[in-house]
Amino acid sequence: MGKDRVSVDEGRVADTNEQAGPEPLSVTRTDADGVTVVTVTGEVDHHTSGALRRALAPADPDGARTVADLSGVPFMDSSGINVLIAAHQAHAPGGWLRLAGVRRPVLRTLEIVGLIPLLACYPSVQDALRG
């Protein structure tokens, strides 16, 4: 499984940490048998959502498959929700975006805005990879 830190360099994902209050938002991308796994740690808000948006953007939207590991995300505001919606749309129609390890506060927000039927949530990355 290859591992890369992520950010944007002329439209390409490369290496970044953006600040989320006192703790930096960490976003890493790895590959697991052709599925991109994006691991996110820290709060996702309007200051940090850009890093998540770039990391979840598929290089080739046709058939792209991505698992977003949100187990390290204690809080996500509407900016993060908008990123997830855009990423889901960017993966359609032949690919998919799955969420893994979504913590209760973030899950509750997804439930309130009605995204649970749209974004498949799994307890772990391994479960999401198995689908």
Side-chain angles (χ1 to χ4, degrees):
M1 192 170 351
K3 192 174 204 175
D4 297 314
R5 303 280 298 169
V6 294
S7 79
V8 171
D9 179 19
E10 299 176 18
R12 297 182 51 155
V13 178
D15 184 357
T16 275
N17 280 335
E18 291 187 19
Q19 290 297 322
E23 292 184 34
L25 179 72
S26 173
V27 181
T28 56
R29 289 176 65 134
T30 56
D31 182 75
D33 297 323
V35 177
T36 300
V37 177
V38 176
T39 304
V40 186
T41 305
E43 294 185 359
V44 180
D45 61 21
H46 71 281
H47 294 293
T48 61
S49 62
L52 181 60
R53 180 179 307 277
R54 291 184 295 270
L56 291 177
D60 179 11
D62 291 333
R65 299 175 301 155
T66 303
V67 172
D69 178 1
L70 302 180
S71 61
V73 178
F75 171 81
M76 180 180 290
D77 73 2
S78 61
S79 301
I81 300 299
N82 288 332
V83 167
L84 294 178
I85 292 168
H88 169 75
Q89 292 171 339
H91 283 76
W96 45 256
L97 171 66
R98 297 176 180 165
L99 308 182
V102 182
R103 290 174 147 181
R104 186 70 197 140
V106 175
L107 184 62
R108 181 69 183 130
T109 302
L110 293 173
E111 290 170 344
I112 289 169
V113 298
L115 289 180
I116 296 301
L118 182 67
L119 297 171
C121 295
Y122 295 83
S124 71
V125 171
Q126 291 307 317
D127 291 326
L129 289 170
R130 286 191 292 267

